[in-house]
Amino acid sequence: MDIWKLSAVELGKKIKEKEVTVSEALEAALLQIEEKEADYNCYITVDRAAARERAQKVQKRIDSGELTSALAGVPVAVKDNMCTQGLLTTCGSKMLENFVPTYSAEAVNRLEAAGAVIIGKTNMDEFAMGSTTETSAYGATKNPWKKEHVPGGSSGGSAAAVAAGECFFALGSDTGGSIRQPASFCGIVGMKPTYGTVSRYGLIAYGSSLDQIGPMSRDVTDCAVILETIAGCDKKDSTSIDRKALSMNDSGWTGMDFSAALREDVRGMRIGIPRDYFTDGLDDEVKASVLGAAKTFEECGARVEEFDLSFVDYAVPAYYTIAAAEASSNLERFDGVKYGYRTAGYEDLHSMYRKTRSEGFGTEVKRRIMLGSFVLSSGYYDAYYLKALRVKALIKKAFDRAFETYDLILAPTAPTAAPRLGSSLSDPIQMYLSDVYTISVNLAGLPGITVPCGMTQAGLPVGVQLIGNCFMEKKLIQAAYTYERAAGKFPVPSERRGAK
Ligand code: GLN
């Protein structure tokens, strides 16, 4: 048995049935890391010793019947912008090259309470700003399907680690597509939950009103089970929502028993395809794959039709105004005093601040801080920041209108498959525009999932995105699961290579 090819839930079962030990599962992932890391660079930190020790402890608690969750004993990788107690957390930045948190993010705590074993921390765009993982201070991650291509970003390390079998599942964070886009580029499943569903406590903030943690997994079943494990109201995050209170008076769709939605059925579901998403910038092969997925939904009994979403052209400028504004404020705390890096030589307090921030932050982060400070400055606040907030409200309204007619919206996840390494950063505006299909989901606080739906001629995966109304993750999971069953399980990269 190739342990590393199992999904998280399959592995959890085998561990429970004593077919595989927790240590064997961990060693299987560590072996993949040994063999592939030099090529892919998915991780910033791998803590073998701590993971091995934890595997032993978890095994004992499984054997004693204390740990019964589906993820007990399953090795996981965590994006490096989530605090992990005692384990280096760099956020992909030189600024935090020596930051070892004294506490863990709530999502990480929940995974650990369920018995998952953290292998290490994955590579990412610096402070989650980027779409390729090339802005990391720790070198770019490569796409396991084709090494010359990016894995997407900003959670590119997590996506590549899952695709390469260097972990069984991973956590990512999504401010404007950073779970869904790399998942799509690497041929895995990724979900951004409704804002407020997963606690942001211990997630190093980028755009606080947009950030959500979510699952990155081999299949939809894993995605549902991971979400069920990490979701939940948390008093430590004031934007966290008590969904249990909500689900008492509804049809059952808004509940948090996400794995209950793993049923094959989309009969009668109304799925809308935004006509305005299928315009010039969309690659022909991606378009064909996504429309092919729409056809599969129809064959499974859904009612699929096109509609006009509107405001699509305004989503990118509104997002980059709001995200940069929030980032410029959130990143003020990195001043060489409280955390991480401090410059070696300085004359006074101000020169210490200036030199620390000049040396600690990379180019893309500085660009966002400058843009954010500009749109928040007096005289420009109304013209840019406030206007962007108004556009955000209009985008939310456009989705509200769509969900009066449709259960779900089907769209591409990204306009192209993974670009070549080195081809994106030279033109930031072009890179920002490529987020067009993912960012409005964050602006409107909605849940979105991406599922692999095809391959390009060049051998790169393509993902189809499903978007739901607030709290409708179960509808997304049910539809995505139905699609995955109908389309057949997506291969892992090495299987694909072996088949050739
Ligand atoms: N690419 C987008 C950005 O750079 C989204 C990043 C994210 O979701 N963290 O802001």
Side-chain angles (χ1 to χ4, degrees), residues 79 128-131 153-154 173-179 206 319-320 323 368 431-432 435 439 442:
K79 185 176 179 179
M129 297 170 192
S131 309
S154 62
S173 71
D174 193 312
T175 306
S178 278
I179 288 176
Y206 163 16
Y319 167 84
Y320 276 94
R368 309 276 179 118
M431 187 174 82
Y432 299 167
D435 293 334
I439 52 183
N442 301 70

Side-chain angles (χ1 to χ4, degrees), residues 421-435:
L421 279 156
S423 66
S424 303
L425 291 189
S426 54
D427 187 351
I429 302 280
Q430 204 50 42
M431 187 174 82
Y432 299 167
L433 287 171
S434 72
D435 293 334

Side-chain angles (χ1 to χ4, degrees), residues 193-212:
T194 305
Y195 186 75
T197 298
V198 179
S199 170
R200 291 185 297 109
Y201 177 77
L203 170 70
I204 297 173
Y206 163 16
S208 314
S209 75
L210 308 160
D211 299 338
Q212 264 296 282

